[in-house]
Amino acid sequence: MEAQTYRVRVGLATCGIAAGASKTYDKLLPLLAEHGIVPERTGCMGMCFSEPLVEVISPAGETFLYGNVTEDKAEIIVEQHIVGGKPVEDLLVLSNVKETENSHFMAKQERILLSHMGVIDPESIESYLAYDGYKALAKAMQMSSEDVIKEVQKSGLRGRGGAGFPTGMKWNFAYQAKGDKKYVVCNADEGDPGAFMDRSVLEGNPHAVIEGMTIAAYAIGADEGYIYVRAEYPLAIKRLRKAIKEANEHGYLGNKILGTDFCFQLKIKEGAGAFVCGEETALLASIEGERGIPRPRPPFPATSGLWGKPTLLNNVETYANVPAIFRLGAEQYSKVGTERSKGTKVFALTGKIKKTGLAEVPMGITMREIIYDVGGGVQDDKEFKAVQIGGPSGGCLPAELLDLPVDYDSLTAAGAMMGSGGLVVMDETTCMVDVAKFFLTFTQSESCGKCTPCREGTKRMLEILERITEGNGQPGDIETLEELGEAIRDSALCGLGQTAPNPVLSTLRYFRHEYEEHINEGKCRAGVCTNLITYYIIPEKCTGCTLCARNCPVNAISGERKQPHVIDPSVCIKCGVCMEKCNFDAIILK
Amino acid sequence: MTEAQKCYAEDPFDYGPVDEILERFRGEKGTTIPILQAIQEVYGYLPRQALEYAAKKLKTPLSRIYGVATFYAQFHLQPRGENIIRVCQGTACHVRGGAKIMDALKDQLGIGVGETTEDRKFTLESVACIGACGLAPVIMINNDTFGRLTPEKIKEILKNYQD
Ligand SMILES: Cc1cc2nc3c(=O)[nH]c(=O)nc-3n(C[C@H](O)[C@H](O)[C@H](O)COP(=O)(O)O)c2cc1C
Ligand code: FES
């Protein structure tokens, strides 16, 4: 069916709203009403770099995605495009009828999970249904439990929460487990800083997660489920609430699902701000209302989980893949990806990368393709130094490994891990010792304190890193870090402690020279560790414009007008303002 | 009058909301955290009286409730400001200058992390990631997120919350 008029969509996820998309929407509403158009709300379109985003779709189905549409630009789009019929070239980010400078962002992506994101209205079940929503559930419910599980096994899907455990196998364990009461739980704690895929999926396509969980409940024989969402995601929680309510009303959740005897009650539990609650046993303790402290496994949740009952626990993205498996069929689904890592993975591209955003790529693509082809390369064309993958449990990979295929096994072999999908790009201005310290500070403060290696060991490692970055590193520190790191990795109780040394061990493996420079030469090449740097004005380059002196917050710079200036190192607080302000590149770090 | 109500009859503290919250969650499992969240929603923090009262009515040791309350970063045992500013110190924000944003806020408000301004207008906190990393550096004021910040923009944003 061809639409008669233009359609207009506004991306209203947390990132869009933070950039001002709500104001743009409010501005568009009356302007478009004059032309009989109601702007549609949708979730994340994945291109954070040019939020707020507005998409105009012509009656013939041509799409024009406009970027940086702050409220003042809404009028231009309505006047010129909707009324005048002429696309607004200046704001155009992407189009299906024309090449733009951003076409590369989509070229290597393969959008299966995200195919409806930025298209459907996350607050309307009708909108989800119009794109084959809940058809996968209907299909699965015509199959036996065993066949549903076999289909998931055949798809080759592995858990997207970090460890990559085969999903079908986990479902089978939960199915086989004896018990009259079983639970299905979704891990939406997304604690890795630098990751926001799960948030975007929950905000942009909540029904996909609900549908995946309902299929899981049908398969393992559960009648109750929980979604554990972190409290820092208020919009995701709001949209999930609405989606659950609508799914209940439409008979896709609750009692007598699709007119059968199958019942599944789904509830939301809000997290309360503890990273360790992303670990499955801690998460279950937290749902039970206790302190979120992990316990040793086995028993695994599949046999003894929530209130001691068999519990299936998967990540948001894992569940969101399930409807696609049943829509496409396992065989078709498993054509994408590598031998041992099937399907696609959504990555959050952040840090010093040109195009920040969400990218869904086939497993096995190289890191270079993700960073350079999709992400457009390093911001300001600085030199690439490292990419951090897998959050606080992951590692930093150097330029030499850019051609590494991105799949579970290759990443683990390289000392990193797939993790949840955060990719933080770092350039020459990032100090790798500082990054290692940053992560360890995080894990150290999030350690629940139950086991000694993690509680005490990470603290000792952090002390060493602190003294190295302060310029007091000692010979032997590197070896001690390695020894401690390996001991903690092998002896901590849960995944948090076992993986906490990874950022240190991986930077030691690939950026050892930076540690050595800090300790032996008292030098921080990135100019981050303030105790190890001094700002210096090159007399030949200084024109005596006085700009630096006027901006120095502590009056550490002196000199006559039109004469070279000097910085007094005993007063300087190393804030870097002078270097930022200088128009002649006369200030350098020594 | 129940046992618990009797003891508190003389107390000027308003226990009404706690009663209402406990009633709302009656009969459900695993409600400690949601109850604490609801209490904090009403009072802005977790007043000691409210926790003692809830413990008594729930027939749970206060130490257990206190244990939960102190485990999670979300819960506060001290009163907080009208507006809660949460500065992201996550990885993406860290490499894009999150520390400078924090410094600017400390400077403007004249308080440190975890502190509240004297007029009780603002509380400054840090958070490990808000999930808007694509717009780093990011802060959250109450439930609103602000991205692509520079120290200069902070002043403008604070103005909207000043009165
Ligand atoms: C410290 C720690 C934090 C974790 N955080 C998360 C998280 O935020 N989200 C998540 O899905 N899994 C997280 N996990 C992994 C879970 O324990 C669990 O393996 C996963 O949710 C299982 O789902 P999957 O099989 O679908 O991947 C974390 C693990 C550890 C040890
Ligand atoms: S790291 Fe700051 S929002 Fe994610």
Side-chain angles (χ1 to χ4, degrees):
Chain A
M1 186 187 70
E2 200 171 278
Q4 296 306 301
T5 56
Y6 283 99
R7 295 176 67 180
V8 178
R9 291 189 183 126
V10 184
L12 289 165
T14 294
C15 33
I17 293 172
S22 297
K23 286 188 191 142
T24 305
Y25 184 88
D26 292 343
K27 184 89 180 193
L28 281 168
L29 202 61
L31 291 175
L32 289 171
E34 288 175 32
H35 307 284
I37 301 170
V38 182
E40 299 163 32
R41 300 157 186 272
T42 186
C44 176
M45 304 189 188
M47 307 178 96
C48 303
F49 61 89
S50 52
E51 295 277 9
L53 291 160
V54 172
E55 187 167 44
V56 174
I57 303 147
S58 78
E62 301 159 320
T63 63
F64 300 88
L65 184 63
Y66 294 119
N68 298 309
V69 188
T70 38
E71 56 181 326
D72 50 310
K73 302 201 181 99
E75 213 153 333
I76 310 175
I77 291 176
V78 176
E79 285 304 312
Q80 198 176 318
H81 197 161
I82 308 287
V83 181
K86 272 216 325 263
V88 189
E89 299 289 337
D90 291 353
L91 299 175
L92 195 63
V93 179
L94 212 63
S95 165
N96 64 357
V97 288
K98 146 178 218 205
E99 207 44 38
T100 69
E101 62 154 317
N102 295 304
S103 297
H104 65 85
F105 188 79
M106 285 298 178
K108 291 221 167 153
Q109 291 202 43
E110 174 127 8
R111 294 199 158 201
I112 298 171
L113 196 69
L114 300 184
S115 60
H116 299 150
M117 291 244 306
V119 176
I120 60 168
D121 177 349
E123 301 203 22
S124 149
I125 193 169
E126 277 85 12
S127 178
Y128 184 64
L129 293 173
Y131 287 89
D132 294 335
Y134 291 104
K135 288 223 172 110
L137 175 65
K139 197 167 157 191
M141 283 177 62
Q142 310 222 311
M143 301 159 66
S144 67
S145 291
E146 288 90 348
D147 286 345
V148 170
I149 293 170
K150 274 200 197 113
E151 189 77 359
V152 176
Q153 281 175 328
K154 213 163 86 188
S155 74
L157 177 65
R158 291 171 67 172
R160 301 292 194 244
F165 192 82
T167 306
M169 200 194 288
K170 200 189 260 187
W171 287 28
N172 196 37
F173 288 148
Y175 171 69
Q176 300 285 349
K178 288 195 176 51
D180 44 1
K181 175 88 187 172
K182 292 181 187 176
Y183 293 97
V184 168
V185 174
C186 174
N187 188 343
D189 197 41
E190 198 163 55
D192 287 4
F196 57 91
M197 309 70 50
D198 293 350
R199 171 184 67 69
S200 303
V201 171
L202 294 172
E203 287 177 0
N205 198 356
H207 285 288
V209 181
I210 297 173
E211 187 173 7
M213 288 185 77
T214 313
I215 294 173
Y218 173 79
I220 70 155
D223 65 351
E224 201 175 333
Y226 289 95
I227 305 180
Y228 187 90
V229 197
R230 61 197 297 241
E232 287 86 350
Y233 288 177
L235 187 63
I237 293 170
K238 180 181 148 220
R239 290 193 176 153
L240 265 177
R241 283 231 156 84
K242 174 137 196 225
I244 290 175
K245 182 162 169 281
E246 288 193 328
N248 271 309
E249 287 162 3
H250 283 73
Y252 300 112
L253 256 189
N255 295 324
K256 299 213 170 294
I257 293 173
L258 295 176
T260 66
D261 282 338
F262 168 47
C263 304
F264 181 53
Q265 311 292 343
L266 188 56
K267 296 178 196 129
I268 294 175
K269 281 275 178 182
E270 277 183 50
F275 173 68
V276 72
C277 286
E279 196 280 334
E280 53 189 26
T281 60
L283 184 145
L284 296 176
S286 182
I287 293 183
E288 291 172 5
E290 304 295 333
R291 294 162 69 99
I293 293 183
R295 61 160 178 78
R297 299 171 308 177
F300 286 90
T303 47
S304 173
L306 210 49
W307 289 292
K309 307 286 183 210
T311 302
L312 173 70
L313 188 136
N314 279 124
N315 161 265
V316 170
E317 199 182 320
T318 313
Y319 284 123
N321 264 292
V322 172
I325 293 172
F326 286 86
R327 248 193 344 259
L328 301 168
E331 203 154 319
Q332 185 66 25
Y333 177 91
S334 63
K335 283 196 177 133
V336 177
T338 67
E339 183 58 35
R340 302 203 48 228
S341 304
K342 295 293 182 197
T344 56
K345 176 78 192 91
V346 183
F347 287 101
L349 309 182
T350 66
K352 302 283 183 69
I353 190 165
K354 275 194 189 139
K355 314 282 170 176
T356 56
L358 275 192
E360 179 174 359
V361 289
M363 295 271 192
I365 191 173
T366 67
M367 199 59 100
R368 187 185 303 279
E369 288 173 290
I370 300 179
I371 295 171
Y372 286 89
D373 297 347
V374 178
V378 181
Q379 201 184 20
D380 302 326
D381 291 316
K382 289 221 166 74
E383 199 181 322
F384 172 89
K385 186 186 268 187
V387 56
Q388 210 283 338
I389 179 166
S393 343
C396 293
L397 301 177
E400 301 90 88
L401 290 181
L402 275 173
D403 291 311
L404 189 77
V406 175
D407 61 62
Y408 291 102
D409 311 302
S410 312
L411 286 170
T412 308
M417 65 184 269
M418 179 74 81
S420 50
L423 282 186
V424 186
V425 173
M426 299 169 181
D427 65 11
E428 61 205 62
T429 63
T430 316
C431 165
M432 300 317 286
V433 188
D434 174 71
V435 166
K437 184 180 83 173
F438 168 82
F439 280 112
L440 211 62
T441 309
F442 178 80
T443 33
Q444 215 286 308
S445 74
E446 294 292 339
S447 167
C448 76
K450 181 164 170 172
C451 76
T452 320
C454 175
R455 185 184 64 239
E456 302 297 330
T458 55
K459 200 161 196 136
R460 298 291 92 79
M461 286 182 80
L462 184 58
E463 283 162 4
I464 298 176
L465 288 171
E466 273 168 354
R467 77 170 174 248
I468 298 178
T469 54
E470 280 162 9
N472 302 320
Q474 296 158 8
D477 274 354
I478 293 182
E479 291 72 19
T480 314
L481 279 175
E482 275 172 338
E483 201 182 315
L484 274 171
E486 282 159 19
I488 297 168
R489 188 182 61 197
D490 297 340
S491 59
L493 168 67
C494 86
L496 191 149
Q498 289 156 10
T499 58
N502 279 356
V504 183
L505 294 175
S506 76
T507 45
L508 275 172
R509 178 160 161 193
Y510 298 116
F511 300 93
R512 200 181 189 91
H513 51 280
E514 291 202 19
Y515 284 81
E516 288 165 352
E517 279 170 6
H518 279 72
I519 297 172
N520 303 334
E521 301 165 40
K523 182 175 145 199
C524 173
R525 60 165 74 192
V528 171
C529 301
T530 46
N531 277 1
L532 300 180
I533 51 173
T534 37
Y535 284 87
Y536 173 77
I537 302 179
I538 306 171
E540 295 76 33
K541 281 197 172 176
C542 178
T543 63
C545 73
T546 75
L547 189 61
C548 57
R550 278 182 283 137
N551 279 290
C552 176
V554 291
N555 294 322
I557 306 178
S558 56
E560 294 293 313
R561 180 168 262 285
K562 304 222 169 120
Q563 295 297 319
H565 282 49
V566 265
I567 301 174
D568 180 350
S570 63
V571 181
C572 175
I573 55 164
K574 298 164 187 173
C575 66
V577 167
C578 53
M579 192 155 133
E580 260 167 46
K581 295 283 172 187
C582 181
N583 293 324
F584 308 98
D585 293 331
I587 303 182
I588 56 162
L589 280 174
K590 267 188 148 175
Chain B
M1 211 182 246
T2 68
E3 183 69 20
Q5 277 169 326
K6 237 183 270 160
C7 316
Y8 289 94
E10 305 293 311
D11 194 334
F13 189 86
D14 179 13
Y15 293 98
V18 186
D19 275 323
E20 190 272 320
I21 290 164
L22 294 178
E23 191 53 42
R24 196 179 339 143
F25 288 104
R26 208 190 1 219
E28 280 184 48
K29 295 172 291 190
T31 52
T32 318
I33 294 171
I35 286 174
L36 293 179
Q37 282 167 335
I39 293 178
Q40 182 156 295
E41 184 77 31
V42 174
Y43 298 96
Y45 74 111
L46 297 176
R48 190 183 170 101
Q49 291 107 308
L51 296 190
E52 283 175 354
Y53 184 71
K56 206 159 218 165
K57 288 197 85 172
L58 289 168
K59 301 201 171 63
T60 316
L62 178 63
S63 60
R64 213 193 122 252
I65 294 195
Y66 189 77
V68 173
T70 50
F71 183 82
Y72 295 99
Q74 191 193 20
F75 296 122
H76 304 277
L77 300 171
Q78 298 298 328
R80 297 194 304 156
E82 216 175 287
N83 301 293
I84 311 296
I85 305 182
R86 297 200 270 181
V87 186
C88 181
Q89 305 281 288
T91 325
C93 291
H94 179 73
V95 303
R96 283 214 186 188
K100 289 204 170 137
I101 303 299
M102 181 61 106
D103 288 342
L105 276 162
K106 282 185 189 162
D107 214 48
Q108 294 264 324
L109 299 171
I111 52 173
V113 182
E115 294 176 359
T116 301
T117 52
E118 231 160 65
D119 60 3
R120 289 264 172 96
K121 273 259 185 277
F122 297 101
T123 297
L124 188 61
E125 292 176 355
S126 72
V127 56
C129 177
I130 301 173
C133 326
L135 301 177
V138 177
I139 65 169
M140 215 170 161
I141 303 186
N142 307 326
N143 275 342
D144 295 326
T145 309
F146 300 87
R148 292 190 193 127
L149 293 175
T150 56
E152 288 83 49
K153 284 192 195 159
I154 295 292
K155 213 180 233 161
E156 284 303 302
I157 293 171
L158 284 184
K159 247 191 229 149
N160 295 326
Y161 292 87
Q162 226 91 39
D163 29 51

